[in-house]
Amino acid sequence: MSAPQSRKIWIVLPLALVATVCVATWIALAQSPQNRPDAAKTTAHNKNQYVRVKYDEHGNPLALETSIVHLVPVGNDRPGLQVDLVSAVHVAEPNFYAALNKQFENYDVVLYELVAPEGTVIPKGGPDRNRNLLSSLQNAMKDLLELEYQLSGIDYTKQNFVHADFSPDQFAQSMKDRGESFWTIFMRLMAAGMVKQASNPGKADELDVLLALFDHDRAVKLKRIMAEEFSDMDTIMTAFNGPDGSTLITERNKAALKVLGEQIAAGKKKIAIFYGGGHMPDMEPRACAEFHLQRAGEDWLEAWNLRDKK
C-alpha cells in the first residue's frame, strides 16, 4: 500500500468513528448510567437493536454485544442463499475480533466497509498507526479503554474478503452532490444526540466520568459509561440519517448492496455484510426489499467485557 493511499485511509476512515465517539462521550458526560434506572430494560429488550448491553439478574452490566442477523429468501426461489448482517464496533476486545475471524471462514464471501482507494490491501495487523496526531489520539483511546482497533484485529487478507464501499473520491463526490461536508455530518450527529438526550433526561453527573478515570478498574468503568450510549447508537444514527438519507449511511449502504447483487449473480450462497452497527437499521430493510429477503434469526457476540475484573 502506497503512502498516499495510507494517508487517504487514515484521513477519511476515522472521521465517522471520531464523530461517533465524540457524540457518545458528550452524551455520557451529560447523563450517566446511574441517572437512568430504566436503561437495563430499554437496552436489553429492543429487538430492533444491532448493538446492546447484556445485564445479569441484578441489573449489573456484563457485556456490550453486537448482532449477526440472518436473512434468507422469501419463498424457495433461491435455495441455500443466506445473507448475514454482521454488525461491527470499531474498537473492541481482541477476543471479539478473533471470534469474527473464525466466523468469517464460514462464508463464501465477506463484504466489508472501508472508505479507501480500490485495490487497497490492509496488511495483517493493520496499517501503521503512528503517522499523525489523529493516529496518536486513537492509540491513546485504545490504551485508555484497553481495547483493540478493527483494522488491527480483523484479517482483511483472506481470499473471501471483498471491498464493498466507496473510494475517498466517490465519498467526496457523493457529499458534494448532496451538499454535505464533514462539518455538517458532525453537527447532524450532535443534533441527533441532543434529541436522544432530551427524550431521556437526567441530572448531569460529570463526577462519574472523573471518578472512573482515577478508578483502579478505569477501563471497565469508562466502558460501562460509553457502552450505554453505544448500545443506542443505531437510534442516533437513524435520527442522523433522516428521511433523505446521507452519504455516511445511505449511499454507502447502496454501494454495499450493489456488490451484494453482483456476488449473488456470481453464484455465491453464504454471504456476510460486515458493516458498523449504525448502518444496519437502514441496511436490513433495504436489503430485504431489494433482494426479497426476510429475517430468520440472529446471534450475538460479546464485543466489550463490562464485568468487574475481580
Side-chain angles (χ1 to χ4, degrees), residues 71-143:
L71 304 179
V72 298
V74 177
N76 298 315
D77 57 332
R78 290 165 293 171
L81 177 64
Q82 178 177 316
V83 178
D84 285 358
L85 305 181
V86 182
S87 293
V89 287
H90 300 309
V91 287
E93 309 284 349
N95 288 343
F96 173 69
Y97 295 127
L100 282 178
N101 284 327
K102 186 174 181 61
Q103 175 75 19
F104 289 150
E105 295 175 358
N106 300 321
Y107 295 100
D108 298 330
V109 62
V110 177
L111 310 183
Y112 67 91
E113 68 168 323
L114 181 68
V115 178
E118 287 299 325
T120 296
V121 176
I122 303 299
K124 196 169 184 178
D128 181 7
R129 299 189 301 275
N130 299 313
R131 292 180 177 272
N132 50 45
L133 177 60
L134 183 57
S135 297
S136 299
L137 292 174
Q138 289 176 327
N139 282 324
M141 179 183 172
K142 172 181 71 70
D143 294 338

Side-chain angles (χ1 to χ4, degrees), residues 29-50:
L29 285 169
Q31 188 178 344
S32 68
Q34 290 87 338
N35 293 322
R36 290 170 297 172
D38 62 338
K41 178 176 63 177
T42 57
T43 58
H45 300 294
N46 185 349
K47 67 179 181 179
N48 295 320
Q49 281 189 312
Y50 301 88

Side-chain angles (χ1 to χ4, degrees), residues 7 37 45 59 95 106 159 213 228 253 257 308:
R7 282 196 297 271
H45 300 294
N95 288 343
N106 300 321
Q159 291 298 313
L213 287 171
E228 294 289 350
N253 283 358
L257 294 180
D308 287 325

